[in-house]
Amino acid sequence: MDVTVREVPGPDGIAAARTLPAAWYSNAAHFETEIQRVWRHQWLCVGDETDMPSAGAWRAIVAGGLPVLLIRDKEGALRAFLNVCRHRAAPLCEPGDDGSGSLLSCPYHAWLYRLDGSLARAHGVGEPDGFDTADFSLKPLGLATWRRWVFLHADHGAEAPEFGPMAAAITGYPVEAMHLVLSESHERPFNWKVLLENYSENYHTPFVHPEIDTSSSHDYPMLAEGLTLYAWDRPLRPTTDAGVLMATLLPGEPGWEALGSAPTTVPYDVGSYLALRI
Ligand code: FES
């Protein structure tokens, strides 16, 4: 997979820059094109290991418009399938539903699936000629784990994701030892590219986020790999303390003092953040 490194454009880049056509932000047909040509061809970060179902559990999510069933089998292997029954295409679970057990039952006609996606029983079908339950397993999706993050791809056969300079940028940080202390989810009434563009510049910061000290200019480095974005306004503070915090913190907030005692080689006066999904 190619790695694209985006940098703040110089004067020539700014002179040539134009906003995308307005219709690309509001036209439903164009959005569907983006889903098919962009989102269905990229690895999508869907959370980290601490978000994933525990052994023997499953959860239904939607990723890039796809209904997805995340399942962790009894041996601890994480799998992803289309959340679509192979009989008449009913969803096995509603998005957001979760559960646990050794079998999943389709709510429509009660076909039963094992946690490896194979069809265990087609209720009432028996064994007619030409019907083999092995032909009706759930459709698998691509799934990969990098450091602590889990990625999905619509194509089960997709090449494993590579993170190039993004991987190098956080090599020294013990992200696996960090604890998630804050998780927020927002639904916004605008096209996804608006958010991406917002995170691609620091121009708005003094006006929209006046609480952030921008008096000492600093770089706003950004790496993009497919639809995964890695950006930070200060280097994430490395520490050997297992109580590391991932959330953006401001002085005086819970956890700030613990960060203050962590070893660091860089100025760290406001906060840091790491964005791995858009
Ligand atoms: S659609 Fe699932 S059993 Fe019929």
Side-chain angles (χ1 to χ4, degrees):
M1 183 179 288
D2 291 333
V3 174
T4 303
V5 178
R6 298 180 185 171
E7 299 175 346
V8 177
D12 290 341
I14 290 173
R18 294 290 182 276
T19 303
L20 296 172
W24 291 19
Y25 296 85
S26 57
N27 182 282
H30 192 274
F31 178 66
E32 182 56 29
T33 299
E34 291 176 343
I35 289 288
Q36 297 302 329
R37 296 191 186 177
V38 179
W39 291 84
R40 297 282 164 80
H41 291 272
Q42 303 285 345
W43 286 95
L44 306 175
C45 184
V46 293
D48 73 28
E49 286 277 13
T50 61
D51 288 335
M52 296 297 117
S54 54
W58 63 81
R59 184 188 310 142
I61 65 169
V62 175
L66 277 182
V68 176
L69 203 49
L70 290 170
I71 300 177
R72 197 182 290 276
D73 66 23
K74 297 267 197 260
E75 286 68 48
L78 189 62
R79 304 166 189 270
F81 301 96
L82 269 184
N83 181 18
V84 176
C85 180
R86 294 298 308 279
H87 177 221
R88 291 263 300 281
L92 295 177
C93 312
E94 294 300 316
D97 281 359
D98 54 23
S100 61
S102 55
L103 294 167
L104 276 141
S105 176
C106 176
Y108 201 178
H109 311 95
W111 281 26
L112 286 175
Y113 295 90
R114 301 182 184 91
L115 299 189
D116 64 1
S118 62
L119 180 61
R121 193 185 68 163
H123 177 75
V125 173
E127 298 179 354
D129 278 352
F131 180 82
D132 186 345
T133 54
D135 296 333
F136 294 92
S137 298
L138 296 176
K139 292 288 188 188
L141 301 171
L143 186 138
T145 301
W146 172 62
R147 302 293 300 262
R148 63 181 296 157
W149 295 284
V150 177
F151 294 80
L152 281 181
H153 198 297
D155 178 1
H156 179 241
E159 281 185 33
E162 294 180 11
F163 296 92
M166 191 188 308
I170 64 168
T171 294
Y173 298 102
V175 293
E176 291 83 356
M178 293 177 173
H179 299 286
L180 184 67
V181 296
L182 176 67
S183 178
E184 293 184 34
S185 180
H186 303 275
E187 295 220 3
R188 302 293 195 202
F190 48 71
N191 183 265
W192 61 276
K193 296 190 296 296
V194 173
L195 190 62
L196 178 62
E197 290 161 358
N198 176 78
Y199 272 90
S200 299
E201 47 95 347
N202 213 15
Y203 190 30
H204 68 279
T205 302
F207 315 106
V208 180
H209 312 291
E211 71 279 11
I212 295 179
D213 177 12
T214 55
S215 56
S216 58
S217 70
H218 58 272
D219 289 339
Y220 187 64
M222 173 172 292
L223 303 173
E225 173 68 38
L227 290 180
T228 301
L229 185 69
Y230 173 46
W232 64 103
D233 64 355
R234 298 287 193 285
L236 201 66
R237 184 169 229 173
T239 176
T240 55
D241 180 358
V244 176
L245 301 169
M246 289 180 70
T248 298
L249 290 176
L250 295 174
E253 288 184 336
W256 174 258
E257 287 187 10
L259 273 179
S261 63
T264 181
T265 58
V266 295
Y268 187 90
D269 55 355
V270 176
S272 292
Y273 64 88
L274 176 68
L276 271 165
R277 51 181 150 174
I278 58 175

